[in-house]
Each structure stands twice: as structure tokens, then as C-alpha cells.
Amino acid sequence: MARHEAVIVGVADEPLTNGKTTRPGSPLQIQARCAKAALAEAGLDLSDVDGLFTAGMWGIPGVGQLPTVTLSEYLGIRPRLHDGTNIGGSAFEAHVAHAALAIEAGHCEVALITYGSAQRSEMSRNLAGRPATLTMQFETPWGLPTPVGGYALAAMRHMHEFGTRPEDLAEIAVAARAWAALNPAATRRDPLSVDDVLAAPRISTPLGLLDCCLVTDGGGAVVMTRADNVRKDAAKPIYVRGFGQAATHWTIAAMPDLARLMAAEMAGRRAMEMAGVSHDRIDLVEVYDSFTITTLMTLEALGFCERGEGGAFVGNGRIAPGGAFPLNTNGGGLSYAHPGMYGIFLLIEAVRQMRGEVEAERQVRNVRTALVHGTGGTLSSGATCILSVN
Amino acid sequence: MKPAPIVDPGTEPYWSGLKQKKLLLRHCRTCGKPHFYPREVCPHCHSLDLDWSEASGRGTIYSYTVAHRPAGPAYAEDVPYTIAVVELDEGPRLMSWIVGDKSGLAIGSGVRVRFEPLNEEFDLPVFELARDAS
């Protein structure tokens, strides 16, 4: 493989207990810990970092947010490349793409991507919308529970067009929980049935509490460098072979088709074309599961099944442990953790699976190529990465 | 108190129109298509040559959800409430509430606009099911 290619050489996430960081910490503390741990895997340290990539829900109140500037000061580094791209929870897949471009063009040698949130400990989440300014003056006054209501509108339309059933969505939550049961680091590991999901309190019809991701703390970091810059003591490098991004709307009423995740269609197609892989070459899929409907629409949009057939596709244990289509193998945002933005955890799990270092019960055998897809906003943005072991 | 829109120069005619019981759409004089919410540039053809036109106030439910948990304390006493994306007969879609008798409500149901005060300053365009054959 080409020596200048970008590789992922370090990943880390913050240990959680009952959804809170095991050691209390601010978002900056959490990111510092994750950065140090991921760099240690790579045989590197903060002094080696010359590219910093972050997105977050934290920030110093006031006009504008300067997350990479704040974080670089905190970490005591002076990167020559800053990227605070924030397209929602998919931002971290975009960061991997941007880091790969920068590394391969020689604009940075060691890229550090971070995320940190203490939203659960701080009890800073509720369902209220954003201030009713700019485009939100046409959405916030209606009191749509946010963000779940936007996904509910999509789910309702998908059910109308394709006959998708609440039971189909429930299968996704059940499969995620079954993976989480095999993952000691996951937040919710107790057994879950389709009936449990259907009986849970409704939040915004047709979605109920167990169709929704968790609200937890969390943090993560990913370290990338050039293939010929990998230290001898580094973890097994994972190649970034393809990437793509797209966004179609922000206010949910502007989504071009509520039953079709066009951002994932566009991003996924671009990433797969760039990597030169077809669906049958992909051994592992990790997709953003903010809500059960997100998973279903993403699988359709990425082309793993036909549009409208997602409900049938996820049934019969296909995406559960032991099924033919291993998906979200850490338990996902639905059962592992969801600290506001989840995209970095898709990357971390894919890398660990590809290195073959997760617990035996949930280790997918012989993963050579993985597809990671983040969704951001309210089904707004998508970013895909194709990762390869060689 | 429910959040009120923070109006800007680009959206002021829309909110003023509602006070006069008119649902105004931005209308492109180049491609002929209306759009919602009002913008400075046509999102269809990117022309700057835009005007306003009054919508018929008729449309269909494109999708909806019933909120059983409120979007913050300001909506607590409204639970459960029905939020829809309405597709106007002119084409554009907008978010709104479905009010009044909701029996038989479904995606595809015909609706028509009604203007209801949010507070002393603002009216909102809400929709009720159109019970006639049209």
C-alpha cells in the first residue's frame, strides 16, 4: 500500500458507569483523557499532534464558538491545521475525511480527532428546540420535541409509504440491546423484547422511549497519520479508503423526502465509489442509530436493501449477534452510549473490530472492510467512511 | 410562554401577512415556483428576482406526529398535540399544528389554514381538517 496513505493508528473512549463518566469531568477533561489514551495506542503524544479536529455541544457561551482553539490551548498544543467542521453527529466521519486529505497532501502528519460531553452529569438536555431565530423561526414555535419529533415525522411517512411497522423498528432496538449485552462497556445491557419496545411510553408518535437513543456522557478520540509514519509500537493501522459527505436540509419540513435519506445515499455512494468496493465486499457496518428509524432508513439509503424494504431486512435477527449482517456491534447509540453526538464511537468500534480486539462473543470474524456512516442534524447530513485493514 | 419568532427583515412581510390573515409565500419571477420559508434567493433556480404571493391556504398532511412529551415546559399543558408537515396546494411544505376535530386524521388528509394568535404580536397559521369533498 502507498506509504503516504492516511491510516487510523489510535482510538480511545471514556469509561462510563450508568451512563456517566466513571471519573467526573468537564468536556475538556474528558477530551484530554481520550486524546492521551488514543495517542498512546499510536506510540505518539500530544507534542506530535499538528492537526486538531473537533466538534461538540460544549462551548464557552457568547458569540461564535472556537472549539479547536479552546481545546488546543487547553491541551497545550499549536496545531498547524484546525478543523471545527460541525455537520451534527456525523462530523467525526467528515473529520476523518478531512484529515485523510490533509495528511495525504502533506498539510499535517498527526491528526487528533476528539469529542467529549458531560450532558448526562450536567443534566443539560431537554426536548426544547433552538431559539426561534433565522430559519428556526419557522420550526421552534410549533413545539416539536427536539430532535425526536423530526425523526417521528420521517417514521410516520415511511410507515405510510411502505407499510413499515412499529414492530420492525422495535427489532432494531432489540438487536442493539443484544449486542450491548455482550459489551461490558455498554450502558444498557438488560434483556429487551419487541413487546417491551412497543409497550414503552410514546414520546412523539410513532416513536416511543425505547426507539430513542440514550442520553449519556461520553468522550472519544481518533488518531490518524501517514502509513509511513506509523511507529513500531503502534496499534495495527487501519486504512481510510473512501469517504463522502452530503447534507439536504436542517429544518425538518425542508427535508426533500421524509421517507428517503438522501444524504446517506449521496455520501455512501461517493465513499464506495472512491474505495472501489461493492456491498458484498463489506464485512461490518456501523451506522448512526439516534433513533430506530435512523438505522432503517440508513440501511436503505446505503443500498444494503431496497427502499421500503428496511423493515423486512432488519427482521429475523439479521442484524443481531449471530445474524448475517453484523451491525452496530457495541450496542449503538440505542444501548451503548449516546453523549449528544455519537459519530466518533462508530469509528472507534469499527477500528477495534478490525483489529480483532473486542470481547470474543461480539467479535465479528475476519473484518477486512468496514463501512461507517454518521447522520447529523435531523436526518440532515451524512458522512461515510470506508475502512480497510490493508 | 411559548417561544415567539425572532423576526428579521427577510421574514417580516410573512409575519405581517399573518396578522392580516394572509399566508404569504415567496414566489420566484424567474422559474415561477413558490417556496417556504421565505428566502433572499430562490432555492429552486437561485434567482434573486422574487416576489410575494398569497397561498390558497389549502393543502394535505404530508406527515404528522403526536407529541406526548412537550418541547419544554412552555408546551406542557398542550400535551398531546399534533404537529404536521403540511404540503400546500401550491407545492411548498411547512410545519404547523393540526387543530380542531382530528377524527380521521391521516397522511393525505385535506387541510385548510386558520389564523390563531400566538400572543398579542403574532398570529400563527394552523390547520384544520377540511371536511368538504375537495
Side-chain angles (χ1 to χ4, degrees):
Chain A
M1 292 304 150
R3 290 156 50 83
H4 69 274
E5 271 193 293
V7 289
I8 296 174
V9 277
V11 297
D13 59 349
E14 177 79 357
L16 302 178
T17 304
N18 297 323
K20 297 182 181 178
T21 54
T22 305
R23 294 165 60 203
S26 74
L28 292 171
Q29 287 177 285
I30 293 167
Q31 287 175 95
R33 294 172 196 158
C34 292
K36 285 288 286 186
L39 286 160
E41 275 200 350
L44 298 165
D45 206 341
L46 281 167
S47 54
D48 299 303
V49 173
D50 62 353
L52 182 61
F53 301 69
T54 194
M57 302 174 73
W58 59 274
I60 294 166
V63 177
Q65 302 267 325
L66 309 172
T68 62
V69 179
T70 307
L71 188 61
S72 60
E73 174 195 289
Y74 187 88
L75 297 174
I77 60 175
R78 290 174 185 165
R80 58 174 161 150
L81 196 148
H82 287 251
D83 181 354
T85 296
N86 194 339
I87 56 172
S90 52
F92 309 92
E93 284 70 37
H95 292 161
V96 167
H98 299 170
L101 290 169
I103 287 165
E104 293 177 11
H107 293 294
C108 87
E109 286 200 358
V110 174
L112 171 65
I113 305 167
T114 68
Y115 180 70
S117 168
Q119 65 165 18
R120 172 82 179 244
S121 295
E122 294 168 349
M123 302 207 308
S124 56
R125 280 310 286 273
N126 62 42
L127 297 175
R130 290 166 191 261
T133 187
L134 299 174
T135 60
M136 287 299 156
Q137 63 191 282
F138 302 98
E139 182 166 305
T140 301
W142 303 111
L144 186 71
T146 303
V148 58
Y151 290 83
L153 289 165
M156 198 72 96
R157 186 73 198 179
H158 201 280
M159 290 174 170
H160 171 76
E161 286 194 22
F162 301 116
T164 305
R165 305 168 307 157
E167 291 84 350
D168 300 325
L169 298 181
E171 291 277 3
I172 293 167
V174 168
R177 182 64 60 86
W179 283 108
L182 305 177
N183 181 4
T187 298
R188 290 295 303 275
R189 305 182 64 202
D190 45 316
L192 188 67
S193 70
V194 167
D195 286 344
D196 293 335
V197 180
L198 297 177
R202 296 300 93 184
I203 305 294
S204 191
T205 61
L207 301 180
L209 183 64
L210 295 173
D211 289 293
C212 302
C213 62
L214 306 173
V215 176
T216 69
D217 297 344
V222 172
V223 176
M224 294 173 60
T225 192
R226 267 198 337 269
D228 63 355
N229 192 35
V230 175
R231 301 292 196 267
K232 279 200 289 289
D233 53 347
K236 174 185 172 66
I238 302 297
Y239 289 80
V240 179
R241 281 289 148 68
F243 41 80
Q245 295 170 39
T248 55
H249 63 281
W250 180 210
T251 56
I252 192 66
M255 186 165 175
D257 183 337
L258 274 173
R260 180 177 181 187
L261 191 50
M262 286 174 59
E265 287 181 20
M266 293 187 276
R269 189 170 57 239
R270 287 168 188 156
M272 290 179 71
E273 283 174 5
M274 178 178 170
V277 298
S278 51
H279 291 88
D280 58 4
R281 286 267 312 280
I282 293 169
D283 307 306
L284 175 72
V285 177
E286 304 285 345
V287 303
Y288 204 123
D289 58 343
S290 46
F291 299 92
T292 49
I293 185 66
T294 318
T295 303
L296 188 145
M297 289 174 68
T298 304
L299 292 173
E300 292 181 0
L302 292 172
F304 290 106
C305 59
E306 296 294 318
R307 272 188 72 209
E309 293 182 0
F313 185 81
V314 299
N316 298 316
R318 183 185 305 220
I319 60 172
F325 193 89
L327 178 76
N328 296 352
T329 47
N330 60 352
L334 291 167
S335 282
Y336 160 67
H338 194 285
M341 298 171 81
Y342 181 72
I344 201 164
F345 303 97
L346 301 168
L347 295 158
I348 293 167
E349 173 64 10
V351 166
R352 288 176 174 161
Q353 285 279 355
M354 297 177 90
R355 291 177 184 164
E357 64 181 31
V358 305
E359 296 77 16
E361 306 78 46
R362 67 185 184 93
Q363 176 68 56
V364 181
R365 286 170 57 186
N366 214 11
V367 180
R368 302 184 59 77
T369 305
L371 182 150
V372 174
H373 181 83
T375 293
T378 310
L379 299 165
S380 310
S381 72
T384 312
C385 295
I386 305 292
L387 306 180
S388 172
V389 294
N390 57 14
Chain B
M1 206 160 64
K2 292 191 174 74
I6 299 165
V7 179
D8 59 66
T11 66
E12 193 281 328
Y14 170 77
W15 294 108
S16 295
L18 293 174
K19 285 295 272 188
Q20 298 159 39
K21 315 270 183 239
K22 290 180 180 174
L23 177 59
L24 296 182
L25 300 175
R26 206 72 163 124
H27 196 97
C28 178
R29 285 198 282 225
T30 302
C31 73
K33 289 183 186 168
H35 68 259
F36 189 88
Y37 49 85
R39 295 166 169 88
E40 190 73 1
V41 59
C42 173
H44 304 295
C45 76
H46 305 139
S47 168
L48 290 168
D49 189 11
L50 301 171
D51 202 353
W52 294 90
S53 64
E54 186 177 349
S56 66
R58 289 186 164 273
T60 54
I61 294 177
Y62 175 65
S63 191
Y64 71 97
T65 182
V66 180
H68 290 266
R69 298 281 176 90
Y75 297 88
E77 64 186 31
D78 300 310
V79 169
Y81 51 102
T82 303
I83 302 156
V85 175
V86 170
E87 186 167 294
L88 297 171
D89 285 355
E90 291 82 2
R93 295 183 193 141
L94 74 167
M95 188 176 287
S96 184
W97 288 318
I98 305 299
V99 299
D101 178 9
K102 292 191 258 301
S103 57
L105 179 152
I107 288 178
S109 295
V111 291
R112 67 178 150 225
V113 75
R114 214 167 87 182
F115 301 91
E116 283 197 355
L118 171 70
N119 55 30
E120 285 184 3
E121 200 181 343
F122 292 102
D123 278 14
L124 292 177
V126 302
F127 288 81
E128 58 190 2
L129 293 181
R131 296 292 174 186
D132 53 49
S134 70

